[in-house]
Amino acid sequence: MATTTGSRGRLRGQVSGSCDDYGIDEGNVSIIIRTFMALRTDTPVHWIDMVAGVLLFAQVQPHNPDSGVIYVYDKRTRVFWGLNFDEGWDSNGNQFLGLKQFEALVEEYGLTDYAARPSLLASLANFNQA
């Protein structure tokens, strides 16, 4: 079940761009994801393809398996969202993850729910701290 809080604090989301922004006209999900990754110079490591969206784990640095970031692709709106957390930033302002960390966070925060129901993502962007 999707949750916004856990061991890394609050889950946050922000729009990374749309297919239109990236000049991705059409194609199946695999082509769209690979094109998005190529344009961002990220390497797709693992993705979970749901009916409404895709949960994507990508590696930012080619030879560093602990340089992963999380995206959700909303198939209906053709928008990519970047996910991050309040805690776990390094001194360079990065929040990189390894695959095992990603898998644990998928379970803890119910990240597949955001791919299954991308409409939930808007609440991550508009969340106001108490």
Side-chain angles (χ1 to χ4, degrees):
M1 184 156 132
T3 183
T4 59
T5 57
S7 64
R8 285 189 170 239
R10 295 210 179 273
L11 175 64
R12 306 289 182 173
Q14 64 284 330
V15 172
S16 295
S18 69
C19 286
D20 290 342
D21 294 337
Y22 288 104
I24 304 170
D25 292 327
E26 54 186 70
N28 65 35
V29 170
S30 181
I31 291 169
I32 291 170
I33 298 293
R34 290 184 190 284
T35 303
F36 173 71
M37 291 287 93
L39 291 169
R40 295 189 57 87
T41 66
D42 294 349
T43 303
V45 174
H46 182 72
W47 73 65
I48 301 168
D49 191 353
M50 311 286 284
V51 172
V54 177
L55 178 63
L56 172 65
F57 180 67
Q59 190 173 304
V60 175
Q61 299 168 348
H63 302 291
N64 181 356
D66 292 326
S67 67
V69 294
I70 304 170
Y71 298 102
V72 173
Y73 172 63
D74 181 339
K75 293 178 182 180
R76 185 183 62 77
T77 62
R78 297 174 35 96
V79 169
F80 289 91
W81 287 74
L83 302 184
N84 55 48
F85 306 89
D86 280 348
E87 299 173 20
W89 297 91
D90 68 17
S91 60
N92 295 320
N94 297 313
Q95 194 175 74
F96 293 149
L97 305 166
L99 183 57
K100 295 269 187 224
Q101 291 169 308
F102 166 72
E103 290 169 346
L105 293 169
V106 167
E107 292 299 319
E108 181 180 358
Y109 285 84
L111 297 182
T112 55
D113 290 348
Y114 294 99
R117 294 180 31 219
S119 60
L120 296 172
L121 294 164
S123 67
L124 300 179
N126 298 327
F127 183 84
N128 294 320
Q129 287 186 311

